[in-house]
Amino acid sequence: MTQRKGRLTVTVDQALIEAGSDAVAAGRAESLSGWVNLAMAERAEKERRLRAMADAVAMYEDAFGPITQAELVSQERSDRQSALVVRGSKNA
């Protein structure tokens, strides 16, 4: 079953119109509407993930108290020490 589509009139930066048109011309998108629809779906999913992360942090802080700056610094240090360097150097 196909989802029903709605019409939308928006003002978009010319560079984005050109990028979408280029994607269509190169065969990376079926239509400009499809390209815009995908971009909006990706943005909606990103915002859903950000809300879920914010909810998880809030639940953690409700249970254990606010995350302090010192804890963030300590975790960053630990992450850097345990990181696998794929390119460049660990000191970069």
Side-chain angles (χ1 to χ4, degrees):
M1 178 178 223
T2 303
Q3 284 185 320
R4 187 165 185 261
K5 304 276 185 183
R7 284 196 158 284
L8 174 68
T9 302
V10 297
T11 302
V12 181
D13 291 342
Q14 186 63 38
L16 294 174
I17 295 170
E18 290 170 11
S21 296
D22 290 346
V24 173
R28 296 188 314 271
E30 289 187 25
S31 66
L32 187 55
S33 291
W35 190 80
V36 170
N37 198 69
L38 177 60
M40 291 176 72
E42 289 172 349
R43 178 59 187 249
E45 178 59 22
K46 177 182 178 181
E47 289 185 7
R48 185 201 63 76
R49 286 192 314 269
L50 288 172
R51 281 191 310 274
M53 288 172 29
D55 291 347
V57 169
M59 288 173 53
Y60 177 91
E61 289 184 327
D62 284 346
F64 302 104
I67 299 170
T68 67
Q69 186 63 33
E71 289 171 315
L72 292 172
V73 169
S74 176
Q75 185 62 53
E76 182 180 0
R77 187 178 307 113
S78 177
D79 291 345
R80 286 184 187 276
Q81 290 171 348
S82 64
L84 174 64
V85 177
V86 176
R87 61 186 166 124
S89 67
K90 205 168 196 172
N91 297 327

